[in-house]
């Protein structure tokens, strides 16, 4: 594994990755990359540059507008044309376009969610069709908890309040209750 890390580090060094003002990276070959890290079972971390928008394989250079690209919060990014997401995973994750997101009205809410004029988006689930758009609420600083008129959610799953035994979770739900 150490040899693989050394080989990848050497390749990255030869590509002379430079950080752009947008937070993206540019190589000496003209590639645009999103820098992330891959973790191995041995506890080794390898810098990785994602250069394609998942999963059609389009080059980030041809898709992302680096002049308007910016981080919004949570796992969301935007440029003048698209909303993007990168969710960290052990393999470094993927970088992709959030389907059905309206660029003009998209905003991050809380720690793990976003909304636009039509949808609520979860960091992992993307469009959350099962929630009530009008009453959906969350708060920054409480993690991936939210509520709507139908109940409470953790990430994209509805949780049953009567089954909760963890005191920290109960505390979070009391913070959400008056919203």
């Amino acid at each position: 594994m150490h040899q693989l890390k050394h080989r990848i580090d050497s390749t990255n060094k030869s590509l002379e990755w430079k950080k752009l003002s947008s937070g993206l990276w540019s190589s000496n070959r003209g590639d645009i990359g999103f820098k992330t890290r891959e973790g191995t079972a041995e506890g080794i971390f390898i810098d990785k540059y994602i250069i394609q928008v998942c999963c059609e394989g389009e080059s980030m250079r041809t898709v992302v507008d680096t002049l308007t690209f910016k981080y919004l919060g949570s796992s969301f990014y935007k440029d003048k044309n698209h909303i993007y997401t990168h969710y960290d995973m052990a393999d470094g994750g993927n970088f992709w376009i959030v389907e059905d997101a309206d660029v003009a009205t998209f905003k991050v809410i809380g720690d793990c969610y976003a909304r636009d004029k039509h949808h609520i988006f979860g960091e992992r689930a993307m469009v959350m069709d099962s929630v009530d758009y009008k009453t959906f609420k969350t708060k920054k600083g409480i993690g991936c908890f939210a509520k709507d008129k139908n109940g409470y959610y953790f990430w994209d799953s509805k949780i049953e309040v009567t089954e909760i035994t963890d005191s920290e979770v109960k505390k979070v739900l009391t913070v959400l209750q008056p919203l």
Side-chain angles (χ1 to χ4, degrees):
M1 194 49 63
H2 288 286
Q3 289 175 335
L4 175 63
K5 177 179 174 26
H6 179 70
R7 203 167 44 247
I8 293 171
D9 287 347
S10 294
T11 300
N12 284 337
K13 187 174 182 177
S14 73
L15 290 171
E16 299 174 349
W17 287 100
K18 303 262 190 281
K19 191 170 187 177
L20 304 173
S21 61
S22 64
L24 293 172
W25 295 74
S26 176
S27 77
N28 61 10
R29 292 191 321 201
D31 288 320
I32 299 297
F34 182 90
K35 187 177 182 180
T36 186
R37 296 179 83 189
E38 181 173 347
T40 68
E42 297 82 10
I44 299 169
F45 292 93
I46 303 169
D47 286 341
K48 178 179 176 181
Y49 295 87
I50 299 170
I51 60 171
Q52 294 181 325
V53 176
C54 184
C55 289
E56 296 78 28
E58 288 185 74
S59 167
M60 285 185 63
R61 180 178 51 210
T62 62
V63 176
V64 178
D65 180 66
T66 58
L67 296 177
T68 60
F69 185 85
K70 66 180 181 177
Y71 176 62
L72 298 176
S74 184
S75 66
F76 299 105
Y77 301 80
K78 82 182 262 185
D79 68 13
K80 68 181 184 176
N81 301 310
H82 303 285
I83 300 296
Y84 304 93
T85 189
H86 172 264
Y87 184 75
D88 260 341
M89 301 289 285
D91 68 355
N94 291 312
F95 184 86
W96 67 93
I97 294 172
V98 177
E99 298 296 325
D100 299 320
D102 179 67
V103 174
T105 61
F106 192 94
K107 70 177 195 169
V108 172
I109 55 174
D111 298 321
C112 304
Y113 303 98
R115 76 177 334 125
D116 70 7
K117 67 182 179 180
H118 298 293
H119 304 287
I120 300 294
F121 298 86
E123 195 174 70
R124 296 191 300 189
M126 292 302 111
V127 173
M128 294 177 63
D129 290 326
S130 62
V131 300
D132 181 68
Y133 178 86
K134 290 180 181 174
T135 62
F136 188 86
K137 305 275 189 229
T138 188
K139 185 175 181 178
K140 194 149 184 71
I142 62 167
C144 298
F145 290 92
K147 76 170 203 163
D148 69 7
K149 71 177 185 177
N150 300 312
Y152 294 93
Y153 301 87
F154 180 63
W155 290 104
D156 55 327
S157 298
K158 192 168 182 197
I159 54 178
E160 294 301 323
V161 178
T162 57
E163 296 175 11
I164 296 172
T165 57
D166 186 287
S167 63
E168 291 301 312
V169 172
K170 286 180 178 181
K171 220 184 282 184
V172 169
L173 297 185
T174 60
V175 169
L176 278 173
Q177 195 171 13
L179 298 181

